[in-house]
Amino acid sequence: MDWSLPPNFSTHGDVIDQLFWIILGLTGLAFVLVEGGIIWFLVRYRGTPSRRAHYTHGSNRLEVVWTVIPAVIIVVLGGYSAMVWDDIKNENKFPEDALEFTVIGKQFEWNVVYPGVDEVLGTSDDFEVRNQFHFPAGENVIVNLRSEDVIHSFFIPELRVKQDAVPGMDNIRIWFDSREPGQFEIACAELCGLGHYRMEASVTAHARADFDAWQASQVAENGGE
Amino acid sequence: MATAIAEPTGRAVIEEAHPQSFLRKYLFSTDHKVIAAQFLFYTLFFLMIGGLLAVLMRQQIAWPTEPLTLGGILPETMVAKATDGAYMLPEFYNALVTMHGSVMVFLAIMPMLVGVWANFLIPLQLGAHDMAFPRLNMLSFWTMVPAGILTLASFFVVGGAAGAGWTLYAPLSARPDLTGVEMGQILWLIALVFVGLSSILGSVNYITTVINMRAPGMTWFRMPLTVWALFITAILGLLAMPVLSAAGIMLIFDQTIGTSFFIPSNAAGDALSGQPLLWQHLFWFFGHPEVYILILPAMGFTSEILAVGSRKPVFGYKAMVWALISIAFLGFIVWGHHMFQSGMNPALGLAFTVSTLFIAVPSAIKTFNWMGTMWRGNLQLHSAMLFAVGFVAMFAIGGLSGVFMASTPVDIYIHDTYFIVAHIHYVLFGGSLFALFGAIYFWFPKMFGRMMNETLGKIHFWLTLVLFNVVFFPMHGVGMAGMMRRIYDWTGYQHLEGIGATNQIITIAAVGLFASGFLFAFNFFWSIWKGEKAPDNPWGASTLEWSVPSPPKHGNWSEIPVVYHGPHEYSHPDVTDKDWLGQNERPDVVTPAAGSH
Amino acid sequence: MRFDYRSRVAAALLTGVLYAACGGSDGGDADAGNGESGGEAAAEVAAIDPSTVGTISGTINFSGDAPAMEAIDMSAEPDCAAGFGDEGPMMQSVVVNGGGLANVFVYLSAGVMDAPAPYGAATLDQTNCRYAPHVMGVQAGQTIEITNSDNLLHNINATPTENRGFNISQPRAGITSRQSFAVAEVMVPLRCDVHGWMEAFVGVVDHPYFGVSGDGGMFTISNVPAGTYTMTAWHEQYGTMGMEVTVTAGETTMADFDHTGLQMAGHLVGEPLVIHHGSDEVVFNRAQQ
């Protein structure tokens, strides 16, 4: 049984995982308190005809305590979450040096547009490869995410990245990286029709030299066009 | 269906003074108790249908590359027959995913919470003869009937039932050419409009009744928490359902008459450009209040049953009311938390994170107050009480797992995975349905005049509790492993290699969970005819409905009661002959003023 | 398209009934029909008197430089690519061999007075992630048996304009689905959304008098009642051409189409195409979407 997060390869993944385990710790503690309390009460206060329940309508002091404690935890958690979220999603914080790709989702394929050797999208040496996403490891990557038909969701579990691709919205951009070379998959995480489960593309994070070699081989293949 | 409803309810209603035809009495009755019973049979039937769909779906998830057991009996729109057996088709799987959610939410849980119990309890607990608008009440049931028929029919039309998910995300739901589903989707949308109409009619009625028809002395803060919860729920329904109905009608237009509210031009190829995110905003503006429509009544039942079962007043009654109100209010400003990864401007994420996390505060208040209610009580662990305690224990898990999603960075990873599936089932099954089972065990004697079998009830509880957790707790783990929702076959993904055994265990337990429902059904129907005769007040409860015969006669009261006390007065030191104090008895006993303590 | 839809009211659902009523056959007989000869099978079963029918035979000649066939990138689908040799999978849109153009749908577009009911099923296979055949004809109401020979998911998304479309899936090998189109429509495109290159065309006509040119451009339409007809040839990139043809009982009428490839190859897909053939001038659109 595999009940844990898959190994993480990305910089954002570190902080996402860290937040996950922090929340698991906090909620785990609350879980033990609540469930333990319930079980203890069930045993301790099990009814007998000889006993009468304690007559009370509550306690303001106690209620304030268990209102304030969750509220404080939540404010801290919410603030920290918002900072992390902003670091990951705010486009003003995207790195300048990132290598940009365009990924176009369609039923049921991911078509990746590569910037070519000049590393600029929209130039004549761009090329498109179906269901294969290659990029250099250790470098920042930005993906312009588009969809041709319905909503798809671009999900690479090992890189902790997920973002919907929405038809009609061509301004969705995501930033991530893979610190190490690796072999992953893009899965579609948003129900997109009868082939949703098979909308899958291979993802390869190469060492830079390998990426250049792969790109050269693609350019050679597409040279005729 | 009509006869199935009419027969059992016949036992629910005692003879009336003036004769009425069979049709008027059992079928087209305006008596709120008969309508409640009609809703109960209707929703139990759809609960079974929804469960059946889930079991079929689970078989595919556990053994995605194997033929379906007994698949051969299904038509070719659902399975593909190969030489080694019949394989489920992905489009049928999508229909199962969609219709399981839709049936459970709209035809089972919501009408069971509101249609059954608001109808049955509001007049009885407030001391009213009937609803404010009895005919409207009848209509609200009969508009549910075409919804159910259309839903069932949609499985057998060309192209099969709707397959775009219960959330109906456009443009998938709006363009038949992209799904192969045309009529099925339209039928379901029409059914949804009927559900909306029924819910709006009901809500108007409940709100009016609560405001106008409280018995003398039944001040706002002497209302049982059940009524409070149902009242707030009715307000939520009245504000949220029209949004869904309007959006649903717009979606029907997109499908049939060529509008493009939700279809962007680059997808449809026409000059008018729609916006897919508009659907999500409209849907979730309805959808999140809907979540609270599905949980607030359950909270009300639980508070009530816990007080009775613990022989104690509800701990912090007034805080419970304010928590209900604040959950309802916050429920309208958190819809965006379903859309963190949707392409919505990320800056909006902050606002929705904060509002969402704040819902945890009233939820925590309620949980601790329920525990406070049990603290130093004299716990009577009958079936209803067990399910109420089970509700608190399971809802706590559902609430805590919600914190993960509210934290936007974590949501990036777990959004649209089985972690969400686990979360929603802890809230809707572990929460709503546990409370509903509790409510049925608790008010069955009042409704049908007979007791349900306690032994079977306890077996049902323990089976449900254990199997429910075996089914849904591992889904957190499967979700952490990264399994996406709504996938027909996960075996092609490298990151999902390790989840096969877990999925099989889940499925086996799910079959058991479904089967345990039949134990409940047996107990339910057997008790209607053969159960022990119920006394007026079998649980020693203090609210008004227990001061009339079981079942109450038409009109409930020959004389409207006068209320002197709060709703949950148990173990009052001045009352020595018994450990409860009826709301309408012993004006000499001093009880705390509304909600103070 | 200029057809009188005599059977417009026929619903797709009725196909099975029609099939049983007209053929009353089992699966074994149904195998007699396929994409290219389904029409012949239908004619045979009606026990046509050979003295009243003739045959049309011809070649789609292609002059000029044949465009090179485009390669399909199956690199992300090793299971699909495994079925091909060194040269790898090629598109099937323009296949010229020995001066003949394949995958041209040829049918009698006017002059058919009466037609036998459809008999037997046409078959369409998906193998190595391509459709076989790439172009086929069926009679309106005739069953099409669509089979998946690949052990992976294909969906078949038919997007007709006159008929009811369908979008069904076949998640594994060995699955056969039965579909049909109720009214004539040339052509109905089919595609697989999982494999973007997979495309097929089905010509639906009211009678069994049609054929598809094979490798080398040859086609044959058999058992045509004697008479004079307009015959039309359709190609997915080069559009449509028409000619008059007279069939004499007991004889084979030779009728060749001459595609002047240079002239037509320059046209973009989907643009109106003007074809001069003899004295007729016909303007056609690419029959798609």
Side-chain angles (χ1 to χ4, degrees):
Chain A
M1 285 189 221
D2 186 358
W3 282 25
S4 193
L5 302 170
N8 169 47
F9 282 74
S10 78
T11 309
H12 294 156
D14 286 346
V15 66
I16 288 174
D17 287 4
Q18 180 201 38
L19 246 175
F20 184 93
W21 296 117
I22 290 173
I23 295 174
L24 188 65
L26 288 170
T27 54
L29 188 67
F31 171 84
V32 170
L33 278 176
V34 171
E35 307 297 338
I38 288 172
I39 291 167
W40 188 61
F41 289 173
L42 281 176
V43 175
R44 173 73 182 75
Y45 303 117
R46 178 138 200 189
T48 52
S50 58
R51 198 159 50 88
R52 220 174 145 94
H54 173 67
Y55 180 76
T56 172
H57 279 87
S59 152
N60 282 336
R61 205 182 45 188
L62 266 176
E63 286 181 59
V64 168
V65 167
W66 60 54
T67 304
V68 169
I69 291 177
V72 168
I73 293 173
I74 271 155
V75 167
V76 173
L77 200 59
Y80 184 52
S81 293
M83 279 162 53
V84 173
W85 172 256
D86 193 59
D87 286 344
I88 297 173
K89 291 278 183 176
N90 188 343
E91 289 197 26
N92 298 326
K93 296 191 177 176
F94 280 13
E96 299 275 315
D97 62 345
L99 188 55
E100 280 201 51
F101 302 85
T102 296
V103 176
I104 304 164
K106 68 164 274 285
Q107 284 185 330
F108 302 99
E109 297 169 311
W110 298 102
N111 291 312
V112 184
V113 180
Y114 290 84
V117 279
D118 66 357
E119 307 203 333
V120 179
L121 279 171
T123 53
S124 61
D125 68 340
D126 292 3
F127 61 94
E128 187 174 324
V129 180
R130 171 187 175 275
N131 274 356
Q132 290 183 61
F133 183 25
H134 298 253
F135 62 88
E139 296 181 31
N140 287 309
V141 171
I142 288 177
V143 166
N144 301 287
L145 202 53
R146 310 228 166 120
S147 168
E148 285 181 13
D149 38 37
V150 299
I151 297 172
H152 303 283
S153 194
F154 177 96
F155 177 35
I156 305 175
E158 293 87 349
L159 304 183
R160 306 290 189 266
V161 55
K162 184 183 289 132
Q163 174 63 52
D164 286 5
V166 184
M169 288 180 74
D170 290 346
N171 57 348
I172 298 174
R173 300 169 84 223
I174 42 173
W175 159 41
F176 56 90
D177 68 348
S178 175
R179 283 177 308 208
E180 310 275 327
Q183 186 68 47
F184 322 115
E185 281 158 343
I186 308 175
C188 180
E190 185 70 65
L191 179 64
C192 65
L194 44 77
H196 166 56
Y197 76 95
R198 212 182 170 279
M199 185 164 167
E200 173 183 0
S202 70
V203 178
T204 313
H206 295 278
R208 184 70 205 199
D210 294 342
F211 175 73
D212 289 340
W214 176 83
Q215 180 158 272
S217 74
Q218 290 295 311
V219 171
E221 255 178 55
N222 292 286
E225 289 170 42
Chain B
M1 201 183 299
T3 49
I5 290 163
E7 276 180 336
T9 48
R11 304 202 59 89
V13 184
I14 61 167
E15 288 302 311
E16 299 171 49
H18 51 100
Q20 276 186 318
S21 73
F22 176 82
L23 277 182
R24 288 290 292 161
K25 203 158 134 189
Y26 301 129
L27 214 49
F28 297 103
S29 173
T30 53
D31 182 344
H32 71 102
K33 300 183 291 297
V34 177
I35 295 169
Q38 287 175 323
F39 264 114
L40 184 55
F41 291 109
Y42 178 98
T43 51
L44 285 175
F45 173 75
F46 278 101
L47 190 65
M48 186 196 74
I49 295 289
L52 183 67
L53 299 178
V55 167
L56 272 170
M57 183 165 48
R58 275 313 313 180
Q59 186 180 356
Q60 174 62 30
I61 298 169
W63 296 280
T65 56
E66 307 278 323
L68 204 58
T69 313
L70 293 177
I73 60 172
L74 294 172
E76 286 208 356
T77 50
M78 302 177 183
V79 293
K81 280 149 190 157
T83 46
D84 55 340
Y87 291 89
M88 184 182 288
L89 287 170
E91 49 266 47
F92 182 53
Y93 180 81
N94 287 352
L96 289 176
V97 166
T98 304
M99 297 313 289
H100 165 68
S102 303
V103 164
M104 283 301 198
V105 168
F106 292 105
L107 299 180
I109 306 290
M110 184 168 78
M112 201 189 287
L113 287 163
V114 179
V116 177
W117 297 115
N119 256 315
F120 189 74
L121 294 176
I122 288 177
L124 278 172
Q125 291 199 325
L126 291 184
H129 287 304
D130 204 316
M131 282 287 178
F133 310 113
R135 282 182 189 78
L136 212 59
N137 206 15
M138 179 179 84
L139 190 61
S140 90
F141 173 73
W142 283 101
T143 45
M144 284 300 281
V145 173
I149 293 171
L150 290 173
T151 305
L152 293 176
S154 75
F155 280 94
F156 301 100
V157 297
V158 176
W166 85 278
T167 50
L168 296 162
Y169 274 15
L172 188 67
S173 56
R175 289 184 57 192
D177 58 318
L178 297 176
T179 55
V181 181
E182 187 172 7
M183 193 47 74
Q185 184 71 64
I186 293 170
L187 287 178
W188 167 241
L189 284 169
I190 295 171
L192 204 54
V193 173
F194 274 110
V195 172
L197 184 62
S198 164
S199 177
I200 292 163
L201 291 175
S203 296
V204 168
N205 216 347
Y206 309 143
I207 293 169
T208 313
T209 307
V210 171
I211 293 176
N212 286 323
M213 298 180 66
R214 282 171 284 133
M218 180 64 82
T219 59
W220 285 99
F221 285 105
R222 279 181 182 162
M223 293 201 312
L225 281 173
T226 307
V227 176
W228 261 113
L230 291 166
F231 175 64
I232 308 270
T233 303
I235 295 172
L236 284 178
L238 193 63
L239 295 176
M241 287 309 286
V243 178
L244 178 71
S245 299
I249 290 168
M250 286 157 81
L251 193 53
I252 295 176
F253 286 168
D254 270 11
Q255 289 227 352
T256 54
I257 62 170
T259 58
S260 55
F261 292 111
F262 310 120
I263 306 172
S265 58
N266 73 342
D270 59 36
L272 302 162
S273 187
Q275 175 46 277
L277 286 195
L278 175 62
W279 170 264
Q280 294 183 32
H281 281 294
L282 290 175
F283 184 85
W284 288 117
F285 186 80
F286 147 80
H288 205 82
E290 171 70 13
V291 172
Y292 296 113
I293 290 173
L294 295 171
I295 199 69
L296 293 187
M299 292 173 163
F301 307 151
T302 301
S303 307
E304 188 98 21
I305 296 169
L306 279 180
V308 176
S310 305
R311 314 310 298 159
K312 276 187 66 196
V314 169
F315 197 92
Y317 169 90
K318 212 163 188 177
M320 294 298 250
V321 173
W322 286 113
L324 283 173
I325 293 171
S326 53
I327 288 176
F329 173 75
L330 288 169
F332 273 105
I333 55 169
V334 297
W335 79 90
H337 72 215
H338 296 269
M339 297 170 61
F340 286 146
Q341 321 307 335
S342 70
M344 180 179 75
N345 187 335
L348 287 171
L350 173 64
F352 285 118
T353 303
V354 172
S355 59
T356 301
L357 283 166
F358 265 101
I359 285 197
V361 175
S363 303
I365 293 172
K366 294 201 81 80
T367 302
F368 289 124
N369 279 359
W370 286 320
M371 293 176 68
T373 306
M374 290 169 68
W375 170 71
R376 295 185 69 183
N378 192 26
L379 307 186
Q380 316 289 310
L381 297 179
H382 43 66
S383 307
M385 178 68 173
L386 287 174
F387 270 106
V389 175
F391 168 94
V392 179
M394 297 301 106
F395 174 77
I397 299 176
L400 290 171
S401 66
V403 176
F404 290 82
M405 278 135 245
S407 170
T408 38
V410 177
D411 187 64
I412 293 175
Y413 181 72
I414 59 177
H415 178 72
D416 273 334
T417 66
Y418 264 72
F419 202 92
I420 308 285
V421 179
H423 167 70
I424 188 152
H425 285 93
Y426 267 93
V427 175
L428 286 189
F429 190 143
S432 307
L433 200 55
F434 268 59
L436 276 169
F437 280 132
I440 292 172
Y441 283 107
F442 189 70
W443 280 293
F444 185 94
K446 189 53 62 183
M447 199 176 230
F448 297 105
R450 289 173 190 267
M451 305 296 291
M452 284 181 82
N453 183 292
E454 266 299 310
T455 312
L456 287 179
K458 282 178 183 157
I459 297 172
H460 173 228
F461 169 75
W462 286 109
L463 279 176
T464 307
L465 183 77
V466 171
L467 291 170
F468 167 80
N469 281 293
V470 177
V471 171
F472 293 105
F473 201 82
M475 285 190 190
H476 294 110
V478 175
M480 283 170 72
M483 181 175 173
M484 299 80 74
R485 294 168 72 182
R486 299 165 168 175
I487 52 170
Y488 162 85
D489 180 356
W490 46 266
T491 53
Y493 292 92
Q494 63 176 27
H495 71 282
L496 298 180
E497 272 165 12
I499 63 172
T502 311
N503 270 327
Q504 287 167 7
I505 291 167
I506 291 174
T507 296
I508 292 165
V511 172
L513 190 58
F514 182 62
S516 74
F518 288 97
L519 184 71
F520 168 78
F522 170 76
N523 190 358
F524 183 87
F525 286 104
W526 185 83
S527 302
I528 286 178
W529 280 280
K530 302 279 181 189
E532 199 185 315
K533 287 260 189 231
D536 293 353
N537 192 354
W539 315 117
S542 58
T543 45
L544 291 181
E545 78 271 28
W546 302 106
S547 65
V548 292
S550 304
K553 63 183 172 30
H554 191 86
N556 303 343
W557 273 274
S558 36
E559 201 177 324
I560 293 288
V562 179
V563 174
Y564 307 105
H565 306 290
H568 313 290
E569 287 296 333
Y570 299 98
S571 306
H572 192 287
D574 296 348
V575 182
T576 48
D577 55 330
K578 52 189 179 19
D579 64 355
W580 56 277
L581 174 63
Q583 282 193 274
N584 56 341
E585 60 176 10
R586 305 267 320 255
D588 58 304
V589 174
V590 178
T591 50
S596 63
H597 46 76
Chain C
M1 306 307 126
R2 288 182 291 241
F3 287 108
D4 293 324
Y5 300 125
R6 290 176 300 147
S7 56
R8 236 193 139 123
V9 289
L13 273 174
L14 286 175
T15 309
V17 180
L18 283 174
Y19 176 145
C22 303
S25 70
D26 56 30
D29 285 4
D31 288 341
N34 63 42
E36 292 179 35
S37 59
E40 293 164 41
E44 276 158 22
V45 85
I48 285 165
D49 180 357
S51 68
T52 64
V53 296
T55 301
I56 306 170
S57 185
T59 304
I60 315 291
N61 294 314
F62 189 92
S63 52
D65 290 336
M69 282 184 286
E70 212 178 301
I72 302 171
D73 176 16
M74 291 192 186
S75 50
E77 300 282 345
D79 292 345
C80 299
F84 296 92
D86 290 342
E87 65 193 31
M90 295 290 171
M91 296 293 280
Q92 296 160 292
S93 49
V94 183
V95 180
V96 179
N97 200 352
L101 181 62
N103 287 331
V104 175
F105 179 63
V106 186
Y107 65 106
L108 301 185
S109 52
V112 178
M113 308 299 286
D114 198 17
Y119 168 70
T123 58
L124 176 64
D125 191 17
Q126 297 150 99
T127 175
N128 296 322
C129 301
R130 293 199 310 186
Y131 286 107
H134 176 62
V135 175
M136 66 187 285
V138 294
Q139 200 172 343
Q142 187 179 2
T143 303
I144 309 169
E145 289 185 349
I146 305 169
T147 303
N148 187 0
S149 299
D150 297 330
N151 202 16
L152 43 76
L153 173 76
H154 289 303
N155 73 317
I156 305 107
N157 190 352
T159 51
T161 52
E162 307 293 330
N163 284 282
R164 180 192 273 275
F166 58 85
N167 185 358
I168 56 170
S169 67
Q170 298 186 328
R172 57 180 52 247
I175 291 172
T176 299
S177 306
R178 284 161 199 83
Q179 296 288 337
S180 69
F181 297 105
V183 298
E185 181 173 353
V186 178
M187 305 288 282
V188 177
L190 306 184
R191 67 167 192 270
C192 171
D193 298 304
V194 185
H195 307 97
W197 60 81
M198 283 178 73
E199 197 173 29
F201 296 93
V202 181
V204 187
V205 287
D206 283 327
H207 52 71
Y209 312 124
F210 56 79
V212 176
S213 67
D215 198 24
M218 294 277 291
F219 70 90
T220 304
I221 306 176
S222 316
N223 293 323
V224 184
T228 300
Y229 304 95
T230 305
M231 186 167 70
T232 301
W234 174 96
H235 185 267
E236 62 183 280
Q237 296 221 346
Y238 299 132
T240 322
M241 311 173 87
M243 74 157 73
E244 289 235 318
V245 61
T246 301
V247 177
T248 313
E251 290 183 20
T252 297
T253 306
M254 299 304 292
D256 291 356
F257 287 91
D258 295 313
H259 264 281
T260 49
L262 280 174
Q263 179 195 345
M264 287 174 290
H267 284 276
L268 290 171
V269 171
E271 277 191 358
L273 191 64
V274 182
I275 296 169
H276 299 274
H277 184 85
S279 58
D280 298 328
E281 182 178 293
V282 201
V283 182
F284 289 103
N285 269 304
R286 188 186 180 213
Q288 193 193 345
Q289 288 157 8

